[in-house]
Amino acid sequence: MKLFEYTRAGSAADAVRSFGPGTMYLGGGTNLVDLMRLGVAEPDRLVDVGKLPLDAIEEAGGRLRVGAAVRNSDLAAHPLVRSRYPMLARAVLSGASGQVRNMATTAGNLLQRTRCPYFQDVTRPCNKRQPGSGCPAIEGDHTNLAILGTSHACVATHPSDLAVALAALEAEVHVTGPGGDKIVPMPGLHRLPGDAPERDTVLEEGDLITAVELPAPPPGASLYRKVRERASFAFALVSIAAVLDVRDGTVAGCRIALGGVAHAPWRAEHAEQVLVGGPATGEAFRTAAEAELERARPLPRNDFKVPLARNLIVRTLEELAP
């Protein structure tokens, strides 16, 4: 591991002032420290923000504000989260292991890097690590990689379960940075690879997430479901966060976000548009899922994700329908 300077910030403003070339923020460290050990991340300086007073969960005006430093375990176990946002609690508990969730923070979870094998192997080219060097995953091992929103430069997927649930709940991410304070909507924090796969998010250098704010729970029933290769401590092949509001047999409202299929949490807006105003039936759910997945561009060894995603959407919506 490369030698680095370490400092602990006393406040969010102090952290932003301390940020400079070669600097990275350190929260729980469950992703960054691994990348440093692999030689993927080589910061000159770490600014520790894990102990900042950003670890509260507070309700105000029907909204819930979650501090950036709230540990994943605390978020999933909080009574307000469990009672008002059970889909969110389930999503968090679907990620990693108990030990990792005890360390990982809310902001760190959202900002974790892809687990693409070529990104983590510094002996191989990767456009995320070295822009312009190529994407060997396109011709190589891409079984667990993206089928939606890919580009010639990158087919990686975003691994966060939390981010998928927040995209369906339309959360807002509060950020402070050299340019001042701002609010970034979910979806909207994470970006598709395009010609700049090295950029996972829309955040600028020195930007620091301070909180995530959840609006009042949307009407209807909600569910998070994750399909993976083993029962725990595995990333999603495909996951779904769905909210379905059915009134008198008609879909009054619907939100669907998918994980494990794109470089960002994928909001299935086309499927939502197909469903709203129509019947809440298995046939309608299947039609909507197929309409969304028409834009999928799978590679030879991950084309199984298309029927897997379709079936997961249909089964989840059927379970949510009264």
Side-chain angles (χ1 to χ4, degrees):
M1 183 185 293
K2 173 185 170 182
L3 293 176
F4 58 90
E5 178 187 350
Y6 170 88
T7 184
R8 178 175 290 178
S11 66
D14 180 39
V16 172
R17 284 193 298 269
S18 300
F19 202 93
T23 302
M24 299 183 76
Y25 293 130
L26 174 69
T30 56
N31 184 212
L32 176 57
V33 173
D34 283 346
L35 295 178
M36 291 172 65
R37 287 170 174 163
L38 292 170
V40 175
E42 295 185 310
D44 297 317
R45 189 165 185 258
L46 289 182
V47 177
D48 190 341
V49 295
K51 301 298 183 182
L52 293 181
L54 301 173
D55 57 353
I57 299 177
E58 302 170 318
E59 183 182 26
R63 301 171 68 89
L64 195 68
R65 185 181 176 95
V66 179
V70 171
R71 305 292 166 169
N72 287 183
S73 294
D74 295 333
L75 177 62
H78 197 279
L80 286 175
V81 175
R82 292 171 62 88
S83 62
R84 298 184 62 197
Y85 307 93
M87 176 176 68
L88 179 61
R90 184 166 180 172
V92 174
L93 292 173
S94 296
S97 66
Q99 294 92 331
V100 173
R101 292 193 297 269
N102 287 341
M103 289 294 297
T105 64
T106 299
N109 188 309
L110 294 179
L111 298 179
Q112 61 186 298
R113 303 300 304 274
T114 179
R115 268 34 176 215
C116 174
Y118 300 99
F119 173 69
Q120 293 187 313
D121 184 353
V122 295
T123 68
R124 306 295 297 272
C126 172
N127 285 323
K128 274 189 168 295
R129 283 187 287 100
Q130 298 175 311
S133 63
C135 178
I138 293 175
E139 299 294 334
D141 180 8
H142 50 247
T143 305
N144 292 335
L145 301 184
I147 60 172
L148 289 163
T150 59
S151 74
H152 67 282
C154 184
V155 294
T157 54
H158 193 270
S160 172
D161 295 285
L162 170 64
V164 179
L166 292 179
L169 291 168
E170 298 182 353
E172 295 177 339
V173 180
H174 291 249
V175 178
T176 188
D181 297 339
K182 58 186 173 183
I183 296 176
V184 181
M186 292 279 292
L189 173 66
H190 305 92
R191 58 184 302 280
L192 296 178
D195 293 326
E198 69 276 12
R199 292 195 63 198
D200 290 347
T201 73
V202 298
L203 299 184
E204 302 293 340
E205 286 291 314
D207 279 354
L208 177 70
I209 294 177
T210 56
V212 173
E213 189 167 351
L214 296 163
S222 65
L223 183 63
Y224 184 81
R225 178 170 280 149
K226 179 177 182 178
V227 178
R228 46 189 165 179
E229 292 179 335
R230 58 179 185 265
S232 66
F233 208 13
F235 299 110
L237 295 173
V238 182
S239 64
I240 182 172
V243 182
L244 185 66
D245 182 18
V246 178
R247 303 179 189 182
D248 298 324
T250 299
V251 177
C254 182
R255 300 182 190 177
I256 302 169
L258 301 175
V261 297
H263 193 262
W266 185 269
R267 185 68 181 263
E269 294 177 346
H270 193 50
E272 295 171 4
Q273 293 169 3
V274 171
L275 285 170
V276 173
T281 64
E283 181 180 356
F285 299 153
R286 185 181 182 91
T287 298
E290 290 177 345
E292 183 67 41
L293 293 167
E294 283 181 357
R295 65 191 69 188
R297 297 295 181 266
L299 295 166
R301 286 176 290 281
N302 70 0
D303 56 355
F304 71 92
K305 284 194 174 190
V306 177
L308 180 59
R310 179 197 63 213
N311 294 342
L312 184 61
I313 293 171
V314 173
R315 179 178 175 184
T316 302
L317 294 178
E318 286 180 334
E319 184 171 338
L320 290 174

